[in-house]
């Protein structure tokens, strides 16, 4: 399969938002870890997720920069990262969970912290499809900010 300008896409109804749609298996980085804010309570979850992703050979980037979550999603989309894990205030509640976002559809699901590394591994190496994940986990319906 050849990857070229056919993998460069624009969001429907928003030509300012572009992304590179590489299959996860060839994407250099498989996911980003995005804490919603600089809340110090998020730090242990960032460290745990990074460790667990590394253990299952999932290349990842932590983006704890300032800026809206929508803007950070857009940045990761532009560099072809297929999955984004968001640590938010619901992560702090028992049972701990995170939001997993898929780049191409922008679909989001809520997944327990203990399961997320294996889920991203399975998605990244074509052992499961996004449709499988959407069937198994509850959808997360929060709207992404258009002001990116």
């Amino acid at each position: 399969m050849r990857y070229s300008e056919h993998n460069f896409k624009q969001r429907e109804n928003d030509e300012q938002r572009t992304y590179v749609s590489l299959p996860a298996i060839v994407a250099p980085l498989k996911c980003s870890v995005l804490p919603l804010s600089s809340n110090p309570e998020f730090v242990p979850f960032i460290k745990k997720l990074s460790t667990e992703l590394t253990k299952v050979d999932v290349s990842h980037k932590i983006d704890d920069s300032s800026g809206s979550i929508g803007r950070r999603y857009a940045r990761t989309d532009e560099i072809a990262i297929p999955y984004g894990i968001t640590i938010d205030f619901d992560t702090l509640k028992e049972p701990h969970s995170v939001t997993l976002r898929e780049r191409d559809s922008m679909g989001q699901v809520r997944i327990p912290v203990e399961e997320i590394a294996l889920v991203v591994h399975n998605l990244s190496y074509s052992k499961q499809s996004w449709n499988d994940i959407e069937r198994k986990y509850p959808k997360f319906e929060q709207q992404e900010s258009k002001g990116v």
Side-chain angles (χ1 to χ4, degrees):
M1 182 179 264
R2 196 172 139 223
Y3 304 107
S4 64
E5 67 278 357
H6 302 290
N7 299 88
F8 182 77
K9 304 190 182 219
Q10 293 179 327
R11 296 276 178 222
E12 199 171 310
N13 302 321
D14 189 356
E15 58 276 346
Q16 295 297 314
R17 277 193 72 186
T18 57
Y19 63 104
V20 178
S21 180
L22 289 179
I25 199 152
V26 297
L29 291 170
K30 307 303 184 201
C31 78
S32 54
V33 176
L34 306 158
L36 195 60
S37 73
S38 59
N39 184 324
E41 291 182 76
F42 291 164
V43 172
F45 292 99
I46 297 167
K47 289 180 178 174
K48 178 181 173 73
L49 286 171
S50 184
T51 299
E52 294 302 314
L53 289 165
T54 300
K55 281 183 190 173
V56 294
D57 296 320
V58 172
S59 55
H60 60 282
K61 165 188 167 86
I62 297 167
D63 182 353
D64 55 3
S65 62
S66 61
S68 73
I69 193 68
R71 179 69 223 140
R72 289 187 285 149
Y73 282 149
R75 279 199 303 257
T76 63
D77 294 350
E78 289 167 353
I79 59 173
I81 297 175
Y83 304 104
I85 300 169
T86 304
I87 299 166
D88 57 24
F89 293 100
D90 286 340
T91 303
L92 303 176
K93 300 175 190 168
E94 294 280 349
H96 303 298
S97 64
V98 292
T99 301
L100 180 65
R101 175 187 178 270
E102 194 267 340
R103 175 199 58 222
D104 293 357
S105 68
M106 297 193 310
Q108 297 183 49
V109 293
R110 200 81 200 170
I111 300 181
V113 168
E114 298 75 40
E115 298 175 32
I116 190 67
L118 188 58
V119 166
V120 176
H121 170 86
N122 288 344
L123 284 166
S124 298
Y125 296 99
S126 302
K127 295 177 180 182
Q128 284 185 294
S129 71
W130 181 250
N131 286 336
D132 295 335
I133 300 307
E134 283 188 313
R135 281 192 291 274
K136 182 173 181 179
Y137 296 99
K139 277 196 168 52
F140 182 72
E141 298 291 349
Q142 188 165 323
Q143 287 291 322
E144 274 192 43
S145 168
K146 283 282 189 183
V148 293

